[in-house]
Amino acid sequence: MAKLEYSLDQIDLQILRIMQDNARTNNADIARELGMAPSAILERVKKLEQKDVILQYNARINPAALDQKMLSFIFIKTQDIIGVQKVGLLLAEIPDVLEVHDIAGEDGYLIKVRTNDSAGLVDLMRNTLSKVEGIISTRTTIVLETVKEDNKLVIPTKE
Amino acid sequence: MAKLEYSLDQIDLQILRIMQDNARTNNADIARELGMAPSAILERVKKLEQKDVILQYNARINPAALDQKMLSFIFIKTQDIIGVQKVGLLLAEIPDVLEVHDIAGEDGYLIKVRTNDSAGLVDLMRNTLSKVEGIISTRTTIVLETVKEDNKLVIPTKE
DNA sequence: GGTGAAAAACGGGCGTG
DNA sequence: CACGCCCGTTTTTCACC
């Protein structure tokens, strides 16, 4: 994972705000919007990438277009010793598992899973999750409809 | 939200695979990789955007860089009538709320929240959530550590 | 500011319904 | 014929040094 703090000034924050909204925005466009030279922006963006402030540029794809209609959250209770994420790492390798969080309390992990339909979910639990060593039990929450899922961070105006 | 199905061929899927991994990949690079002319790729990408297959291009920003160390999931029990997302829409307007899911069962909603620290979480619950009409109760799950959070969909090889 | 490269916009060819 | 898909070409714009 990413290391430490990196001091961001007001301009960096503005760049992040633009890039978070549209990762394909030109250097030139950013420069125009901020009233700076394109080269200066380029330099800053490269540094933000290099310092792991910008982790990646992703295209967010419509799950419906890929026929992935089903979204679920599964709480997973494990035998993992605290601080050792054996099960967590195994869960992270499963493609349909989009997120894996180590959570407080006895549950162990909370994972976010996308499948084609309910049959796909059953399939995942029967054929994949059941083969992961160290899982004691699971509790599944089905999502009926997603109201918001942009995962955009709040970028402060003043730091 | 996005409408309906759109027939994707093998080339579209390859483009999506590339774009999901790196949204800033050149048309020229994609063209080279797929052995096609850049203009053909451009045409397809535009169509994928227009058809809402590609929803957005996001820069994924390191939460630690913005000092957002705290991640939580909150189950929210509401008085919402089934199918009417009054509370859900209100929750979606809160900036720190990254995701809002209407879930099956009596809970109502599951939301994903990022705050600076535990004080920020308390603050959100006391000052913002408490002011949302229709919330009966909440149950909060704290994330100790995130193992995976790329939200990348599984793109099929054959459809 | 300059150079090489890529994006955007246009037209044309080709196969299919 | 009309349509969808792909390919050149040209012009404009951008990335990078």
Side-chain angles (χ1 to χ4, degrees), chain B residues 99-154:
Chain B
E99 300 186 19
V100 178
H101 304 282
D102 191 342
I103 59 176
E106 58 180 331
D107 269 312
Y109 295 97
L110 172 59
I111 68 176
K112 180 178 173 181
V113 173
R114 233 177 243 285
T115 52
N116 281 0
D117 47 26
S118 57
L121 177 62
V122 171
D123 197 69
L124 177 84
M125 298 188 68
R126 282 229 187 97
N127 300 328
T128 312
L129 279 190
S130 68
K131 291 206 172 56
V132 176
E133 293 276 344
I135 293 181
I136 296 173
S137 64
T138 65
R139 185 164 45 85
T140 303
T141 296
I142 306 285
V143 172
L144 298 176
E145 193 172 6
T146 293
V147 183
K148 179 183 187 180
E149 196 187 14
D150 57 19
N151 273 285
K152 283 182 193 166
L153 301 186
V154 177

Side-chain angles (χ1 to χ4, degrees), chain A residues 1-6 8 13 16-17 19-27 45 49 52-68 71 73 75 85 88-89 91-104 109-110 112 114 139 141-156 159, chain B residues 1-6 8 13 16-17 19-27 45 49 52-68 71 73 75 85 88-89 91-104 109-110 112 114 139 141-156 159:
Chain A
M1 248 283 131
K3 263 91 231 210
L4 72 157
E5 279 299 312
Y6 177 63
L8 304 170
L13 294 176
L16 291 178
R17 210 171 289 127
M19 290 297 247
Q20 185 172 237
D21 272 344
N22 181 7
R24 303 209 80 184
T25 311
N26 289 337
N27 275 326
V45 171
E49 293 170 0
D52 271 329
V53 175
I54 295 176
L55 297 174
Q56 215 184 7
Y57 301 103
N58 293 123
R60 219 150 49 76
I61 297 170
N62 192 339
L66 296 176
D67 211 32
Q68 313 225 359
L71 178 63
F73 288 87
F75 285 90
Q85 303 173 327
L89 294 175
L91 293 171
E93 287 172 10
I94 304 170
D96 309 88
V97 174
L98 308 184
E99 299 186 19
V100 177
H101 304 281
D102 190 343
I103 59 175
Y109 295 97
L110 173 59
K112 180 177 173 181
R114 232 178 243 285
R139 185 164 45 86
T141 296
I142 306 285
V143 172
L144 299 176
E145 194 173 5
T146 293
V147 183
K148 179 183 188 179
E149 196 188 14
D150 58 18
N151 272 285
K152 284 183 193 164
L153 302 185
V154 177
I155 298 180
E159 183 111 33
Chain B
M1 250 281 134
K3 266 91 229 214
L4 71 155
E5 280 297 310
Y6 176 64
L8 303 171
L13 294 178
L16 291 179
R17 211 172 287 125
M19 290 298 245
Q20 183 172 237
D21 271 345
N22 181 7
R24 304 209 79 184
T25 311
N26 288 339
N27 275 326
V45 171
E49 293 170 2
D52 269 330
V53 175
I54 294 176
L55 296 175
Q56 216 184 8
Y57 301 103
N58 292 125
R60 220 151 49 76
I61 296 169
N62 192 338
L66 294 177
D67 212 32
Q68 313 225 359
L71 178 62
F73 288 87
F75 285 90
Q85 304 173 327
L89 294 175
L91 293 172
E93 286 172 11
I94 305 170
D96 308 271
V97 175
L98 307 185
E99 300 186 19
V100 178
H101 304 282
D102 191 342
I103 59 176
Y109 295 97
L110 172 59
K112 180 178 173 181
R114 233 177 243 285
R139 185 164 45 85
T141 296
I142 306 285
V143 172
L144 298 176
E145 193 172 6
T146 293
V147 183
K148 179 183 187 180
E149 196 187 14
D150 57 19
N151 273 285
K152 283 182 193 166
L153 301 186
V154 177
I155 299 179
E159 183 111 31

